[in-house]
Amino acid sequence: MAVDIINPYAVAVAQFDAAAERLGLSQAMRAILRKPKRELIVNFPVRMDNGDVEMFTGYRVQHNINRGPAKGGIRFSPEVSLDEVRALAMWMTWKCAVVGIPFGGAKGGVICDPHKMSRSELERLTRRYATEISILIGPNSDIPAPDMNTNPQIMGWIMDTISMHQGYSIPAAVTGKPIAIGGSEGRLEATARGVQVITRDAMLDLNMQPDKCSVVIQGFGNVGSISARLLYELGCNVVGLSDIHGGVYNAQGIDVHRALRHSKEHGSLKGLADAEAVTNAELLELPCDVLVPAALENQLTGKNASRVKARLIIEAANGPTTPEADQIFNDRGITVVPDILANAGGVTVSYFEWVQDLQRFFWAEHEINDRLETIMTRSYRAVRQKSIEQETNLRMGAYLLAVARVAEATEIRGVYP
Ligand code: NAD
C-alpha cells in the first residue's frame, strides 16, 4: 500500500514562501531565508552494554543566526531525518522572532530508539553526540534544549560534556537542565504554561468560556501531560488524551491527576479507569471544543481535517498541521493558533535560563512565570492584530511578523564580505 510521506521541510518552506510572497521580499532575501545556514551530519560509534559497538547518525542544523545565537532542541527518535531537523530549525527561527527573543533557529536530532536503550547506553550516546556537535554548540553560538525523548538529565550530560572539554563549567551551553546545575525554575512546565496562556487568550477572543469547553490532547509527554494539567486547572473539561500507545476518551471528563499517576505507574495511558480506548487517529476526530496536538508533525492532514470537530486548535507540537489541512480549517472557520506562537513558552523560558546562567543570578519562579505570561500575551495580541489588519489567519499573521523581523535583521547586517 502506498504511504503518503509528507516532508516537514517542504511544509516549512511552503509556509515561508507564502509569507515571503505576501511581504514582497526580494528574490535574494527569499533565497537566503529558505536555506539553513549550517548543516552538520555526524556518524559516530557507541559502545552498547553487551560490548558491541553500534553506529548512530545525528544532525545539528542552524537555520539563521542574524538575530542572535542559534537555539533549538535535540530530538532522539527512530523517525529523525535531516529534512525533519531542517524544518524544526527553520520553525525555531520564526518562533524566536515572533516572541521577540534574541535567538536564531537551530535543531538537532539522533536517529535512535531511546526506549530500547539502557540509561548508560543513552548517556554514552548523548556524550558522544554532544562531542561530535561541540564544534557548533556553546553559550555564544548555539544552545540546545530538550525536545521529543530528551529531558533535563540528557541536557545535564550535554552540559557536563561541553564543560569537561573546556575544563570549567559552562551552564549557559544548554537549557532545560536540572535546577541543581543552573537550570531555571519553571522551565519544565514552560511550554505547557505558554500553551495555557495562549489557549485562555484565544478562548476569550472566541467567546469561549474555559469551564464550558472540552479539550482533547494528543501526546502525554512534557508538553502534552503538563498542558493537560494546566488546562484542567484553568477549568476545562479534558475529555481525550493519548500517547504513542493510543488514546483514552470520556465524554464526561477525565480526572487528569489520575491520568498523570496512571501514566507514571504504567508507562502509558493504556487501561486508564473510567475511559474508553481510542486510537490516535480517532482521538483527533473526537467531539470537543479545543484540540491540542502535542506529539509530532503531520497529524492533521488533508485526509482527516474535514472530520475534526474542534473550533479551536492549539499547536503545542511543532508542525502538526499540513498546509492542506490548514486550508480546510481556514475554510471551515476553525481557529488554529500556530506552533511558532503556541509552543514558544519553552524557548522563552530557555532564554530566561540562558540569561540567568550568563549573569549567575537566578530569579524566583513567580518572576519567570510572570515574565513568560507577559511575553506570550503580548505576542498573541501582536499576531492577532496583524492577522486582523491583513485579513488573514493567525498562522499567516505570525509568519508575517516573524519573517519581517528576521528579514530586517538580515538586511541590516548585509551580505558578507
Ligand atoms: P516528549 O518526548 O516528552 O513527549 C512526546 C509524547 O508524544 C509522548 O507522550 C509520546 O508517547 C507521544 N507520541 C510519540 N509518538 C506518537 C504518535 N505517533 N502518536 C501519538 N503520540 C505520540 O516530547 P515533548 O517535549 O513533549 O514534545 C512534544 C512536541 O512538542 C514536539 O513536537 C516538540 O517538538 C514540541 N515542543 C516541545 C518543547 C519542549 O520544551 N519540550 C517546546 C516546544 C515544542
Side-chain angles (χ1 to χ4, degrees):
M1 196 176 77
V3 181
D4 293 342
I5 297 177
I6 302 164
N7 182 323
Y9 183 52
V11 171
V13 170
Q15 291 166 337
F16 163 72
D17 282 346
E21 183 64 27
R22 215 164 159 137
L23 285 167
L25 292 189
S26 69
Q27 289 307 321
M29 185 60 74
R30 290 183 204 203
I32 293 170
L33 298 182
R34 272 178 132 233
K35 286 243 183 255
K37 174 188 172 63
R38 288 195 181 107
E39 304 182 338
L40 178 64
I41 303 176
V42 293
N43 298 300
F44 57 93
V46 176
R47 192 169 300 282
M48 309 308 278
D49 291 344
N50 65 5
D52 289 352
V53 168
E54 272 184 38
M55 286 300 288
F56 290 87
T57 298
Y59 308 98
R60 184 74 185 169
V61 172
Q62 298 175 350
H63 171 253
N64 185 288
I65 57 169
N66 287 328
R67 296 183 62 262
K71 186 90 190 76
I74 288 173
R75 178 174 288 197
F76 286 175
S77 157
E79 319 310 328
V80 163
S81 68
L82 181 54
D83 273 346
E84 182 186 58
V85 179
R86 283 173 169 148
L88 291 161
M90 192 187 243
W91 287 326
M92 283 306 295
T93 302
W94 314 137
K95 190 179 304 180
C96 294
V98 93
V99 289
I101 58 175
F103 286 129
K107 206 77 180 193
V110 178
I111 305 172
C112 65
D113 189 346
H115 302 298
K116 295 198 176 132
M117 297 172 74
S118 69
R119 181 182 160 95
S120 50
E121 287 171 341
L122 207 53
E123 178 174 353
R124 287 193 292 275
L125 176 134
T126 301
R127 288 183 181 279
R128 180 63 188 248
Y129 169 67
T131 302
E132 296 291 342
I133 65 165
S134 64
I135 53 174
L136 292 184
I137 64 177
N140 298 315
S141 54
D142 182 351
I143 306 114
D147 193 79
M148 255 176 77
N149 296 327
T150 58
N151 56 32
Q153 175 61 73
I154 290 174
M155 297 307 113
W157 289 328
I158 295 176
M159 178 272 203
D160 186 67
T161 301
I162 300 300
S163 300
M164 285 299 122
H165 293 171
Q166 291 299 320
Y168 52 87
S169 294
I170 313 179
V174 60
T175 60
K177 303 177 294 294
I179 288 173
I181 57 167
S184 176
E185 295 287 350
R187 174 60 185 90
L188 199 65
E189 301 84 12
T191 308
R193 198 168 288 283
V195 166
Q196 184 197 37
V197 170
I198 291 284
T199 307
R200 182 200 64 196
D201 290 359
M203 280 179 166
L204 208 65
D205 284 332
L206 293 169
N207 288 320
M208 297 165 78
Q209 279 173 278
D211 59 354
K212 297 208 166 53
C213 286
S214 55
V215 178
V216 166
I217 301 170
Q218 184 197 41
F220 207 63
N222 172 279
V223 181
S225 72
I226 305 176
S227 293
R229 176 168 65 77
L230 294 178
L231 291 175
Y232 186 66
E233 287 171 10
L234 192 65
C236 300
N237 190 20
V238 177
V239 295
L241 295 170
S242 79
D243 57 31
I244 195 168
H245 306 290
V248 288
Y249 173 58
N250 181 341
Q252 304 311 311
I254 292 170
D255 177 339
V256 172
H257 293 290
R258 193 205 272 182
L260 286 163
R261 282 195 303 274
H262 182 96
S263 173
K264 202 167 173 194
E265 273 166 34
H266 303 276
S268 100
L269 290 162
K270 246 193 163 112
L272 181 72
D274 301 327
E276 141 194 7
V278 291
T279 65
N280 261 295
E282 289 163 347
L283 182 100
L284 299 171
E285 300 174 17
L286 287 173
C288 65
D289 299 300
V290 184
L291 177 62
V292 184
L296 65 174
E297 301 94 71
N298 299 333
Q299 297 304 294
L300 302 167
T301 67
K303 293 222 169 86
N304 61 7
S306 56
R307 294 192 299 272
V308 165
K309 314 275 186 314
R311 288 172 60 196
L312 173 61
I313 297 172
I314 307 285
E315 291 187 335
N318 285 306
T321 310
T322 66
E324 205 183 337
D326 229 3
Q327 188 58 50
I328 295 170
F329 293 144
N330 204 50
D331 296 345
R332 293 183 57 209
I334 296 172
T335 301
V336 180
V337 183
D339 46 7
I340 59 169
L341 172 65
N343 70 35
V347 74
T348 301
V349 176
S350 273
Y351 165 55
F352 298 160
E353 179 173 336
W354 179 74
V355 168
Q356 291 171 85
D357 286 337
L358 291 175
Q359 298 187 338
R360 267 87 169 142
F361 181 76
F362 288 85
W363 313 344
E365 187 172 1
H366 70 89
E367 292 175 275
I368 305 274
N369 292 344
D370 289 351
R371 286 178 204 232
L372 170 64
E373 182 170 352
T374 304
I375 289 181
M376 294 306 293
T377 295
R378 185 179 65 205
S379 307
Y380 171 76
R381 286 275 139 240
V383 165
R384 186 170 145 82
Q385 188 56 34
K386 183 58 107 183
S387 66
I388 291 170
E389 272 166 32
Q390 296 288 320
E391 296 178 356
T392 185
N393 59 27
L394 293 174
R395 188 184 313 280
M396 181 57 87
Y399 268 78
L400 291 176
L401 275 180
V403 172
R405 287 175 184 164
V406 178
E408 183 191 5
T410 304
E411 185 69 38
I412 292 170
R413 290 184 57 161
V415 175
Y416 175 88

